[in-house]
Amino acid sequence: MATPASRCIVGPRNGGTAVLPGSYDPVTHGHLDIITRAASVFEDVIVGVVNLPVRKKQTVFTAQERVEFIEAEVGKLGNVQVKPFDNLLVDFARENGAKAIVKGLRAISDFEYEFEMNQLNRKLAPDIESMYLMSAPQFSFLSSSGVKELAMFGGDLTGLVPPQVASRLQEALAR
Ligand code: PNS
């Protein structure tokens, strides 16, 4: 029988399934760092790509394009699937048998919104735990909106998003 101490020991990839939700418009190296770190802790990771305008924002890329950009980067991890969703996040988590929702936090500015989402999701589904990974320092300034703004004005996207995403973004914003 597991003792309290042994239950506290986190072995490799023993946390069950986690859902990592987001708009990912487009995926950045900051997102990919969070996905990679979650994939080293959880047995299975489902990246959930929102297929509806959230907070009234239209996306540059379709959900399918956003899914494909992420798939191209996470195949090597071996335990990550990418799926679009257009229902409540907690329902999507339940459908996928996830015990946890994992999100990245960059700065205090993320905290207020995430705190609100956390309380709402906890009310809807107290059995699903929301967990937060702090962004790595080199990505703490990086956001999809910042990348889009840089791309719109011809800024260099090297090191911010995968090369394929950079060229598709430049193409899309030139239109
Ligand atoms: O910051 P993002 O990437 O636009 O976040 C999107 C998402 C879904 C992670 C965020 O809006 C959230 O946590 N929503 C919880 C409420 C919910 O279930 N909304 C429906 C999404 S289809």
Side-chain angles (χ1 to χ4, degrees):
M1 195 171 119
T3 63
S6 68
R7 278 201 301 268
C8 288
I9 296 168
V10 179
R13 293 184 177 180
N14 67 358
T17 300
V19 159
L20 274 64
S23 303
Y24 300 104
D25 185 46
V27 68
T28 67
H29 281 306
H31 294 131
L32 293 169
D33 178 57
I34 298 289
I35 295 169
T36 304
R37 287 158 59 197
S40 73
V41 173
F42 290 89
E43 271 159 32
D44 291 296
V45 165
I46 317 276
V47 178
V49 175
V50 177
N51 190 11
L52 280 178
V54 178
R55 287 177 272 166
K56 301 193 188 123
K57 280 193 276 179
Q58 279 301 329
T59 55
V60 173
F61 296 107
T62 65
Q64 189 52 37
E65 288 171 319
R66 288 176 277 142
V67 165
E68 286 167 12
F69 291 150
I70 303 169
E71 276 175 346
E73 302 300 318
V74 300
K76 54 187 176 261
L77 296 173
N79 61 337
V80 179
Q81 292 175 68
V82 191
K83 300 183 181 180
F85 75 103
D86 59 8
N87 52 349
L88 272 178
L89 173 55
V90 290
D91 290 341
F92 176 70
R94 279 216 180 93
E95 283 160 20
N96 284 281
K99 294 200 285 193
I101 292 168
V102 174
K103 291 184 169 191
L105 277 187
R106 285 162 304 187
I108 308 286
S109 50
D110 283 342
F111 181 81
E112 200 171 330
Y113 173 72
E114 293 303 346
F115 188 69
E116 182 186 336
M117 287 299 134
N118 179 292
Q119 303 299 311
L120 292 173
N121 287 334
R122 180 190 296 266
K123 177 151 182 20
L124 294 174
D127 52 315
I128 299 176
E129 198 60 61
S130 292
M131 306 174 83
Y132 301 86
L133 293 179
M134 295 296 160
S135 78
Q138 68 270 34
F139 302 127
S140 59
F141 64 95
L142 182 54
S143 68
S144 299
S145 354
V147 165
K148 283 182 278 197
E149 191 163 332
L150 276 192
M152 213 179 291
F153 294 95
D156 181 8
L157 305 184
T158 310
L160 305 181
V161 294
Q164 185 212 0
V165 174
S167 57
R168 291 284 301 280
L169 193 54
Q170 274 144 357
E171 241 174 71
L173 293 178
R175 286 200 299 271

